[in-house]
Amino acid sequence: MKDETKCLHSGYHPKNSEPGVMPIVQSTTYRFDSTEDIAAVFDDPTKALIYSRFGNPTVMAVEEKISDLEGGVGAMCTTSGQAANLLAILNICKAGDHIVSSPEIYGGTINLFAITLKRLGIETSFTNEDMTDEEIEALIQPNTKAFFGETIANPALAVFDIERYAKIAHKHGLPLIVDNTFATPILCKPFEYGCDIVTHSTSKYMDGHALQTGGVIVDSGNFPWDNGKFPEMTEPDPSYHGISYTKQYGKAAYIIKARMQLMRDFGCYPSAHSAFLLNLGLETLAVRMKQYCENALKVAEYLKTCPYVEKVEYPGLPGDHYYDLAQKYLKDGASGVISIVVKGGKENAMTFMNHVKLACNEVHVADIRTCVLHPASETHRQLTDEQLVAAGIEPGMVRVSVGLENVDDIIADLDQAFSYIK
């Protein structure tokens, strides 16, 4: 099936006389005929559902749909994109380990890696786009466990060279994890370029309506976890009666371990109702992404000619620094998010933001409604000046998330807001 069809039909497969629309299974527990049946599931939770802390029929139908869209062997939903990134790392890292990451990622993820994971004993080295392959490889240590990047960085709009980093990671027996939030599997499927694990903040385009937060981890099933670097995947797990994930679950070892071990212990699993709402967004994802891209390109072209704008960053715009990479990885469009630098710096940027009327000034992105945000003073205010620069964020930068309104109305609103700059 093509993506448009998968969005509607993957995940939930009603049988004769069953509901045509995916039902909400609002239950924390599941009943069994005997204690032996329950004991068998505690030995191996993949045999049946036992508790909605780490498995629910409604959520699992959505997981199957997202996995199908990405081309993976399995997926696990979480309560936020941050939770997805955290568990994706913790599934293969412990205190004393190390990861390598692009610095052009969401500011909250930079903080997660540079501060929180460091407190847990996991160190992060950040690359920069000017590094040669050899300089990137020099960051790898004996305890390095993964590489990490974002398909389209939030908010710098840098396009991650997935294939390049996958080759470097695989050369050293390491997996590549890619946050595919802004692209979604409609615009880019990282597994096709060598990525091993994909994460998403489903709160963004997948949900699309700003209804609920969520995240997901998708396993490609392609990485050889039995290469000697990941004993937690191959050696017996004492918390599950000595199960070896690679021996018992093969290609799905990573995602099953994440559910059986981490979701069991952290419990950051979404509710059935949240998954139901997410599925409604997924059903229209393919249609919406096309319109987001079309609207954003027209808005980017307008901003390029606007006298109040110093710089426009949109990978789909010819002449953009990342245009060539976008043509490789984002052939069908570069999402609906644009970063601009307003002339005159922070003061003029705030003037512009305070006068938009149609666009919403809010801490969100990838909504059906157009919204704007000033990263340096809002979402990324926890970063140092050096980290802001590394993440591609300037004082006058404004992130414009183009929605699904009529594009002429969007441009008219931005134009009138710029007119207040003196």
Side-chain angles (χ1 to χ4, degrees), residues 39 58 60 63 115 123-124 143 155 196 210 267 274 301 357 362:
T58 306
M60 293 174 80
E63 291 168 340
I115 305 298
E123 297 284 343
T124 303
N143 59 342
D196 302 292
S274 292
E301 290 169 345
K357 296 178 180 178
E362 63 184 29

Side-chain angles (χ1 to χ4, degrees), residues 234-245 248:
T234 59
E235 295 179 1
D237 180 358
S239 72
Y240 271 113
H241 308 284
I243 282 177
S244 165
Y245 294 101
Q248 184 145 345

